[in-house]
Amino acid sequence: MTAENQDVLLEVEEEEEEEDGEVVLEEMEQTIIPSYGTAPDQQKLHTPKWEEFDQKPDSLFFNDGQRRIDFVLVYEDESKNENRKKSVNKKQMRKRQAYESNLISNGLQLEATRSVLDEKLIFVKVHAPWEVLCTYAEVMHIKLPLKPNDLKTRDSAFNWFSRLLRVDENIIKPEQEFFTAPFEKARMSDFYIQDKDIFFNPATRSRIVHFILSRVEYAVKDNVKKFGINKLVDSGIYKAAFPLHDSRFNRRVEDPNCPCERYLLYKEWAHPLSFYKLQPLDLVRKYYGEKIGIYFAWLGFYTQMLIVAAVVGLACFLYGYITKDNCTWSQEVCDPNIGGNIIMCPQCDHECTYWNLTITCESSKKLCIFDSFGTLVFAVFMGIWVTLFLEFWKRRQAELEYEWDTVEFLEQEEYIRPEYEARCTHVVTNEITQQEEHVPYTACGKCVRMTFGISAVLFWILLIIASVIGIIIYRLSVFLVFSAKLPRHINGTEAIQKYLTPQAATSVTASIISFIIIMILNIVYEKVAIMITDFELPRTQTDYENSLTMKMFLFQFVNYYSSCFYIAFFKGKFVGYPGDPVYWLGKYRNEECDPGGCLLELTTQLTIIMGGKAIWNNIQEVLLPWVKNLIGRCCSAARSEKTIPRWEQDYHLQPVGKLGLFYEYLEMVIQFGFVTLFVASFPLAPLLALVNNLLEIRVDAWKITTQFRRMVPQKAQDIGAWQPIMQGIAMLAVVTNAMIIAFTSDMIPRLVYYWSFSVPPYGDHSNYTMKGYINNTLSVFNIADFKSGSKPVSLPWLGNQTTCRYRDFRYPPGHQHQYEHNIYYWHVIAAKLSFIIVMEHVIYCVKFIVSYVIPDVSQKTKSKIKREKYLTQTLLHENHLKVLKKNMGKIAHIWKGEDDNFRPKFD
């Protein structure tokens, strides 16, 4: 067997330890995988061919101009590295040489070129020949074209409208559709091979090469092989590994054979002036792979669906804004003869003073905008909208699965992660095949890993809850300070008192601090979650991403939403009354809501978190990569007169993170939670999300097209674990919005007053009205009943005032059941519970009906899939029969000739 079919591994012994914990022999020995034959001599170590840069900056080929560059490896010349010890440099060089030798042994072709700008850097260009591509295409079950798709497609009735927003087909030509099947070398003649150079497109070539790079060995320790480009990059042996962009993003390449797909994507997709155009998803998928394509397809579909929600939400907001002047209870708060005569009880002990209800006049006007009948309508609408969004997305996703050939992806193309394979040292018996197979841990070891992971996640969730408690204590403490600093009089006409009330000041500062804590915990937990998932050692990349997704989302859910849940469902609900207040930790008196409820504070919290999160993410996603690239360009400006090759230009772009678009998904799903979970308190949330997403699509496109190296194309069938997460959010959103309307807003108490307590037997008005609502919902407290521990300082202006008011439904002093909940309270509680039950059941019923009526896969797509399977099977079967008949004909002809030779002759 020739040397090209042999693998070279470094034998590792415990002599001297490296930074990564791996030790290497001073004398390199070569160990060969048994199936590959005998060991070669030391001199037969394969090395890349060295070439000088040919001064073609846009070339995507080796110096011969024939072999395409499918991947680039970058390392620092060990002989020129003076920052590390010579022994460390020598060990790293031996590992790299062994790895490159094994790449060549596996059929790849390498060409090395020294950097133009930095003589320490070496670029190793990798090319996969036709035979290697065919071999691994079969191993990876890659679907490739059999014949052009001859199925006729019907144009939609709305095509005339979408054509106005679609990219001009003369600029980006539509991709030709094919019937496809998993590639088999034995049936190569069945496939639609017109040109071997373009049969495997650049994305597929890069994916195949990355598959090889991730599985080639370079060392062995304790009979465990070390392999994979990721490990080599992490250990610093290689500085980078990436596929090439096909051109500059801002100008075309002079070569007419270059499609300049990157340039087209920037001009027609990532450019800010293209924000109104539909995304060229087929080109995105072709250039970046299905995983990137499915993300942008989902984000675009989500944004389109937000248009309807934003229009309805804006209409509800405008309805509230227009009718706010007709809000009777707000007029009573602002009326000097009504609210001006109502003295409210202090909301904290000792330092807080009595205050006039008219101080909350401005906040009550704002509250009328959000706490209106339109809020109820919008909450019901959003419960149905989220179901329609999820169901229609399933249909759209099924269409993309068919169009992009990922219908059977998971069953055929999902392969084991190299990190998992490297740890497979335990032997177990497969229950299905009854054959021995290697796994990285026993059943007990798996339980230990899972237990550790769950415990770590729970610990961090408890840490978030502790931070929320800290914010609550801050609210209580700062509210006391703000209340004490208020002027000791009850004139509510001063500007500072109209707009900067103790409640507003406490709410805004606490929301800002809460946002800062959320961001800090996010940064720390991201690293912890990755460490935990790496320790669990999932088998496939899909398993890895799903495991990390669940950990990150559980944390982010508690981190982002805990403060909102506190304001919505806990603040002001368990405060007691002035004579018997409830205390936190026996020290801090529970904070109360404004007389109009906590809805406005919840709106403020949502606005700050959503707005702050959008600004922070844009800084991280856009500004930081742009600044880093700008600094890199400035550092090399002095050498800018030199011609720089394509691979070196790409190297100076920002590296793509290991998790790819994980953080983009997380950002959007967290936003989806804000749009659905608390939309009853903030109907403008869908509009803000729509504006953000219109920018997000172009920002993400601009970022990956101009600022980052090209990602390794990956297959993806769907959006993964994010789909069930959004379904869970949708189910929870019905409950949270029903409870916000029932317990956070003042809608139910107002309706109960209007229909029951404004007229006899409980009211004094002859007709149903909202007049008298404020006076009816504020209970009376006798100042003399304050306990010594909570009694406020007596003020001169209070005069002979013997009572104050507080927000609750209790009997007045002197009543036989004084300070106990009155009949109004029990009516309101019954109405709230009834409302929650009715609203939940109605929306859930509509959701299930909608889910049943709308199938996950349209009949049109089902027919296409069946038709393609039928034609594919028929084509393969017919071709097989043709070959069989041809061979049988040859055999029959031979038999006939032999029969004639042996046939006796008769006269």
Side-chain angles (χ1 to χ4, degrees), residues 33-56:
I33 299 175
S35 61
Y36 285 176
T38 58
D41 297 331
Q42 177 76 17
Q43 289 76 16
K44 292 186 179 180
L45 192 69
H46 308 298
T47 58
K49 182 181 179 181
W50 281 83
E51 295 284 354
E52 294 294 330
F53 173 46
D54 59 5
Q55 300 300 314
K56 297 179 181 178

Side-chain angles (χ1 to χ4, degrees), residues 678-689:
F678 306 101
V679 74
S681 65
F682 191 35
L684 290 180
L687 180 61
L688 294 182

Side-chain angles (χ1 to χ4, degrees), residues 79-94:
S79 63
K80 298 181 181 294
N81 191 333
E82 300 176 355
N83 297 326
R84 287 195 299 256
K85 295 180 180 178
K86 290 184 178 180
S87 59
V88 175
N89 286 334
K90 188 176 180 181
K91 292 172 188 176
Q92 291 199 347
M93 181 179 66
R94 292 204 313 275

Side-chain angles (χ1 to χ4, degrees), residues 20 37 43 83 103 130 216 405 515 546 591 593 616 676 747:
D20 59 357
Q43 289 76 16
N83 297 326
L103 289 178
W130 171 258
V216 168
D405 289 324
F515 172 73
N546 289 346
E591 57 180 337
C593 297
W616 175 261
T676 55
M747 184 175 296

Side-chain angles (χ1 to χ4, degrees), residues 126-138:
V126 183
H127 169 76
W130 171 258
E131 284 298 323
V132 173
L133 293 173
C134 291
T135 300
Y136 282 93
E138 184 172 2

